[in-house]
Amino acid sequence: MNLNQIFTNQRTGNNPNTKASRTDFQRDFDRIIFSSAFRRLQNKTQVFPLPGSVFVHNRLTHSLEVSSVGRSLGSVMGEFIHDQHKNDLTEDAKNFYLHSLGNVVAAACLCHDVGNPAFGHSGEDAIASYFERNESDLKPKFNDREWADLVNFEGNANAIRVLAQQQQGKDAGGIQLTFSTLASIAKYPCEAIARNKGFIHRKKFGFFQNEKDIFLEIAKGTNLISESEEPYIFKRHPFVWLVEAADDICYNIIDMEDAHRLGIVSTADCKNLFFELVKSETDDVQRIENKLNCISNENEQISYLRAKVINALINQSLEMYKQNFDKILEGSLDKALLDLYKTENKTLQDIESFSIEKIYNHKAVVEIENAGYNVMYELLDHFIPSILKHEDERKSYDKKALKLLPQQFVYKNGTDYQKVLGIIDFVSGMTDNYATDLYRKIKGIDIGMTM
């Protein structure tokens, strides 16, 4: 990939850029911050049930922290690219890598989870399995590519839709981000049908059929390397690796800190795992031990070590990016940066194994996943059968169900596929609380008027 041609300030919606005190990429960051999709992340589960008596991370606080780490990664790598390749860079490219790459990565990190439904990954599973469990009734209504989108519902693909598609009655291009920022969140730049046609290295996908044309514009604007046009598969954009690393760093470490605050993980276990990783990455162990001895509060001790661990992982991610930069540019790297580091550092492997056993399979986490799965499934089942009926065939209960839909999610003149995507937009955009409240009302668990 040509380093001069992988970034652009071109936006979705053909929105012309205007002269302002902010760069186009800073404007991306600000647009995301003020978007309703981002705001709703404050009441979407990261791992642990919300709300609780002890404050833990939700999707919004997680995204803010990922963005902070991403800005650091992007800024340092921008300087590296500028210094190592300045003889090959145009003046615009030099300016971009020195001053804007950090902003692009930060903006992409900020919105990397906006396509995720309520209740974490169980919400994704509920949407996908709704179609799988109702295949005999539903599959004949869609073509193979559309069906692949639905039965493999993916939050990453949904993020592109949330950010870039035009809802009913709203402006074209979604929140009109630059192609550079959108390309940076495309971890799986292929269509869903690819995973069903032998492309086994693609576990997930990056865009729905409805947004295929938008994604092809993004790919063209940022010069993504094409692997296949039938089905469409692209190599990852080089900035994706930095966004992914920022996310991996945060969830690997912050979930452990949250579990400690909730009493799921003991201070001794958390402290030992964090300290072992820090010791493997620094020669200044004595100073860190002295600092810990000055802190009597256990939560503050863990917070201090967490900061040290994140710093160590940032440095290692940067090193992995630099070592594999040529592979990243040619699209041949097949492992995430933290996965590369994990092969060299047993402590990070231990943290991951410990988290799977003690945190992600903890009763409280499993309970919210089960509850969330059922809530999301039942909401889809309330709306989808009704939306797929012809207007003349709809009974009274169908019409009443559809009256609950905000108009921006109703595509009256759309195909069955587009109508169903509208329902998915509505349900996947819900917060945990809103989804739970609506579920209780339509099931008759809560009856009464609320304003």
Side-chain angles (χ1 to χ4, degrees):
M1 300 181 88
N2 187 328
L3 288 168
N4 294 302
Q5 298 174 347
I6 61 174
F7 65 92
T8 176
N9 62 357
Q10 186 179 354
R11 297 182 179 277
T12 57
N14 297 316
N15 184 39
N17 290 294
T18 56
K19 291 184 178 180
S21 57
R22 300 167 296 158
T23 68
D24 293 310
F25 309 110
Q26 287 172 322
R27 290 168 67 196
D28 277 359
F29 188 93
D30 296 343
R31 288 180 180 199
I32 297 162
I33 282 281
F34 285 98
S35 69
S36 59
F38 179 74
R39 190 164 58 250
R40 287 194 296 271
L41 294 178
Q42 69 183 309
N43 191 228
K44 287 192 177 186
T45 299
Q46 176 64 17
V47 174
F48 301 104
L50 301 172
S53 58
V54 178
F55 182 79
V56 293
H57 288 77
N58 53 42
R59 288 279 176 182
L60 187 142
T61 51
H62 166 72
S63 298
L64 289 169
E65 290 174 349
V66 173
S67 182
S68 179
V69 172
R71 188 183 299 279
S72 298
L73 291 170
S75 297
V76 174
M77 283 313 306
E79 292 177 4
F80 169 81
I81 293 170
H82 173 272
D83 293 345
Q84 295 295 313
H85 298 272
K86 56 188 172 186
N87 292 334
D88 302 320
L89 299 177
T90 64
E91 288 304 313
D92 282 347
K94 289 177 183 178
N95 183 64
F96 172 81
Y97 290 111
L98 271 183
H99 304 296
S100 292
L101 181 54
N103 290 325
V104 170
V105 177
C109 288
L110 200 63
C111 64
H112 79 283
D113 268 352
V114 297
N116 287 37
F119 306 109
H121 292 297
S122 64
E124 283 183 296
D125 293 341
I127 295 172
S129 67
Y130 175 80
F131 295 98
E132 184 179 329
R133 289 168 63 179
N134 293 278
E135 180 174 351
S136 59
D137 292 330
L138 296 178
K139 188 175 181 180
K141 298 179 182 294
F142 310 100
N143 65 42
D144 288 346
R145 293 173 188 270
E146 294 169 346
W147 183 249
D149 284 354
L150 300 175
V151 81
N152 299 299
F153 176 83
E154 168 58 44
N156 291 279
N158 199 42
I160 295 291
R161 177 169 171 82
V162 168
L163 294 168
Q165 65 111 7
Q166 181 178 11
Q167 290 183 332
Q168 289 287 85
K170 296 194 175 185
D171 203 358
I175 63 173
Q176 299 175 340
L177 300 180
T178 64
F179 290 173
S180 298
T181 294
L182 292 169
S184 299
I185 66 169
K187 290 172 65 175
Y188 313 100
C190 65
E191 52 188 320
I193 200 73
R195 65 199 305 273
N196 297 325
K197 295 230 175 179
F199 298 93
I200 56 175
H201 60 299
R202 299 289 181 183
K203 297 178 181 178
K204 301 182 179 181
F205 66 102
F207 55 91
F208 296 127
Q209 291 301 303
N210 200 71
E211 284 69 55
K212 181 191 284 188
D213 289 343
I214 293 174
F215 194 86
L216 293 180
E217 285 185 45
I218 295 168
K220 182 179 179 181
T222 56
N223 283 280
L224 295 189
I225 299 172
S226 175
E227 280 190 52
S228 166
E229 292 187 2
E230 187 50 51
Y232 277 107
I233 302 176
F234 296 92
K235 302 283 190 183
R236 276 182 166 189
H237 192 283
F239 304 161
V240 170
W241 301 94
L242 299 173
V243 176
E244 181 179 53
D247 186 25
D248 289 349
I249 288 169
C250 288
Y251 85 74
N252 269 282
I253 304 307
I254 300 300
D255 290 351
M256 180 78 76
E257 184 182 19
D258 278 350
H260 171 261
R261 286 186 176 270
L262 290 169
I264 293 171
V265 174
S266 70
T267 300
D269 283 338
C270 191
K271 197 172 176 180
N272 289 339
L273 285 166
F274 281 2
F275 199 25
E276 282 301 311
L277 197 148
V278 172
K279 284 195 296 185
S280 70
E281 296 301 329
T282 183
D283 297 324
D284 203 6
V285 175
Q286 189 59 56
R287 185 181 66 83
I288 294 173
E289 288 181 333
N290 292 339
K291 178 71 172 179
L292 283 173
N293 291 333
C294 294
I295 303 172
S296 59
N297 183 281
E298 291 180 344
N299 285 334
E300 285 303 305
Q301 288 181 337
I302 299 304
S303 293
Y304 172 71
L305 287 174
R306 177 258 299 151
K308 290 295 181 183
V309 169
I310 288 178
N311 183 65
L313 293 179
I314 287 174
N315 290 334
Q316 283 300 324
S317 297
L318 290 168
E319 187 59 32
M320 294 297 161
Y321 197 89
K322 292 174 184 177
Q323 289 178 13
N324 293 278
F325 190 62
D326 289 341
K327 288 184 177 180
I328 287 169
L329 283 185
E330 67 186 25
S332 63
L333 187 63
D334 60 357
K335 285 187 178 180
L337 299 180
L338 234 58
D339 286 343
L340 292 171
Y341 174 60
K342 213 175 290 178
T343 62
E344 301 178 2
N345 190 294
K346 185 178 182 300
T347 305
L348 190 56
Q349 296 176 36
D350 291 341
I351 289 175
E352 184 178 75
S353 299
F354 184 91
S355 297
I356 292 171
E357 179 185 354
K358 300 293 186 181
I359 300 175
Y360 304 131
N361 284 305
H362 188 271
K363 182 181 178 182
V365 176
V366 175
E367 284 176 346
I368 195 67
E369 287 177 344
N370 275 275
Y373 178 94
N374 288 322
V375 167
M376 300 297 282
Y377 186 97
E378 292 296 332
L379 288 174
L380 291 173
D381 199 44
H382 188 71
F383 294 111
I384 288 179
S386 297
I387 201 72
L388 287 175
K389 291 179 182 177
H390 190 275
E391 287 192 38
D392 296 339
E393 299 172 336
R394 288 173 186 163
K395 307 297 184 184
S396 176
Y397 59 81
D398 294 313
K399 295 175 182 178
K400 290 185 184 298
L402 298 180
K403 281 185 179 294
L404 295 175
L405 293 175
Q407 286 305 299
Q408 68 261 33
F409 302 117
V410 180
Y411 298 89
K412 290 182 178 180
N413 299 319
T415 63
D416 285 344
Y417 171 69
Q418 290 169 330
K419 290 176 181 177
V420 166
L421 284 181
I423 301 297
I424 293 175
D425 290 344
F426 178 48
V427 173
S428 68
M430 293 178 182
T431 63
D432 291 19
N433 285 350
Y434 183 78
T436 302
D437 289 346
L438 184 57
Y439 167 81
R440 292 173 66 87
K441 288 172 182 175
I442 65 175
K443 287 296 180 182
I445 300 169
D446 284 343
I447 298 177
M449 182 166 57
T450 58
M451 300 299 289

